[in-house]
Amino acid sequence: MKSQNTNNQQPPVIELEDVCFSFNQAPVLVDVNLTVKRGDFVAIIGPNGGGKTTLVKIILGLLKPQKGTVRLLGGAPQKTSKRAGYMPQYATGEKDFPIRVIDTVLLGLMGVTGCGPFFNRQEIVKAEKALELVGMEGLKGQRVGDLSGGQLQRTLLARALVSEPEILFLDEPMANIDVGGQVKLFDLLGKLNEKMTIVFVTHDVGLLSRYVKSVVCVNQNVFFHPGAELTPEMATMMMGEECPMELIAHGMPHRVLGRHGEGKGHKPMRDGGKR
């Protein structure tokens, strides 16, 4: 697979135009316009219930907006989502299912290659390579119910990677992982970003790794920040206007930006945040 970091002249991997989505008539996303370039490493942040997971599911074609246009990898998500990898939020039910680690990863090929429920040797080798990539090759025969939270997260990441996607979506990938595990996972995602676009969702503004290249703030409306700077406004978005926050940097240089829609570097996603 060729590196995508030099492919910014190619069409965007994600394009949303005037997208609106409501649930039981309650607005979740309003007039969303978003453009993500190939090779980007995007953090989607916002408060719980602000629409982050809904946004990802719309991009992947798992939810259909009431209004607007969605393109993934240049086409309708229903046709192109097979070229994307998706690691959903951690679910306790994953550990209750009586299945081995290797079988969990193989499930990532179903619906992509048309294989399963019986897998050939080539497909098993693909699963083994995905497990090796995330450092789980030694536990391929283990039952998922016996894994720690971090081990399960890496198994689910291998499942998302086994189909060799062009773009990888991760929803709260750092949940149930200690700080050391988070650093290792970000290092892995940084290496993967050399070959694929990365989009990850987090409610924790402290998880803006040095690998992150841009930030999307979601709270019904969507705003694009072409950089990984942690700003007071981002923190306020997470906590609410009634609880303003100041940022303290511990040896980590950052640039404080202005409010959404004001000043260079911040703008609502009416034009995809392009300059």
Side-chain angles (χ1 to χ4, degrees):
M1 187 182 298
K2 295 182 180 179
S3 172
Q4 296 181 359
N5 288 339
T6 59
N7 291 340
N8 285 336
Q9 300 304 316
Q10 295 187 15
V13 290
I14 297 172
E15 295 176 277
L16 275 66
E17 297 178 2
D18 300 320
V19 168
C20 294
F21 182 85
S22 298
F23 182 73
N24 289 337
Q25 298 185 336
V28 179
L29 295 171
V30 179
D31 294 330
V32 174
N33 288 267
L34 175 63
T35 299
V36 174
K37 294 181 179 179
R38 188 173 294 272
D40 206 345
F41 193 129
V42 183
I44 298 179
I45 70 169
N48 289 329
K52 303 184 301 296
T53 296
T54 298
L55 176 64
V56 170
K57 289 184 175 180
I58 286 174
I59 294 171
L60 288 168
L62 300 175
L63 291 175
K64 185 176 181 180
Q66 284 85 18
K67 174 189 173 185
T69 302
V70 181
R71 286 183 291 274
L72 173 65
L73 297 168
Q78 293 78 9
K79 296 181 179 179
T80 60
S81 60
K82 291 181 179 181
R83 295 156 55 195
Y86 176 45
M87 177 179 163
Q89 289 188 41
Y90 174 90
T92 55
E94 296 275 4
K95 297 191 71 171
D96 296 332
F97 195 64
I99 190 172
R100 298 179 305 162
V101 167
I102 186 72
D103 298 320
T104 300
V105 177
L106 284 166
L107 292 176
L109 292 173
M110 295 186 68
V112 177
T113 63
C115 60
F118 303 105
F119 298 91
N120 60 37
R121 181 57 191 165
Q122 183 180 3
E123 292 154 354
I124 292 172
V125 168
K126 279 189 175 183
E128 290 174 339
K129 287 182 178 179
L131 284 170
E132 183 178 358
L133 189 61
V134 301
M136 286 289 292
E137 66 275 16
L139 296 175
K140 66 180 182 180
Q142 194 92 349
R143 286 168 54 95
V144 293
D146 297 328
L147 299 178
S148 67
Q151 289 170 338
L152 179 57
Q153 290 290 71
R154 283 187 282 159
T155 299
L156 298 179
L157 177 57
R159 184 178 68 182
L161 291 171
V162 70
S163 63
E164 300 179 335
E166 296 177 43
I167 182 170
L168 177 64
F169 294 86
L170 306 102
D171 198 346
E172 300 287 358
M174 303 302 169
N176 302 288
I177 303 179
D178 60 23
V179 174
Q182 291 176 1
V183 171
K184 291 179 181 178
L185 183 53
F186 266 124
D187 285 343
L188 172 58
L189 293 177
K191 291 179 181 179
L192 292 173
N193 186 226
E194 297 174 2
K195 297 183 178 181
M196 65 184 69
T197 307
I198 305 289
V199 179
F200 83 96
V201 173
T202 181
H203 69 279
D204 186 351
V205 293
L207 290 179
L208 297 191
S209 159
R210 61 190 174 93
Y211 295 110
V212 173
K213 299 174 182 175
S214 58
V215 178
V216 173
C217 292
V218 182
N219 193 1
Q220 284 198 1
N221 299 117
V222 170
F223 295 88
F224 181 86
H225 300 257
E229 296 86 357
L230 186 62
T231 72
E233 187 177 18
M234 292 178 187
T236 300
M237 171 180 275
M238 302 296 297
M239 300 298 293
E241 292 294 334
E242 70 281 0
C243 185
M245 297 176 63
E246 297 290 339
L247 295 179
I248 301 175
H250 296 279
M252 181 182 298
H254 66 280
R255 178 164 50 113
V256 177
L257 304 180
R259 291 187 174 276
H260 289 145
E262 296 181 4
K264 187 176 181 180
H266 270 66
K267 67 188 305 179
M269 295 308 304
R270 176 59 58 185
D271 63 354
K274 293 182 287 186
R275 288 291 180 185

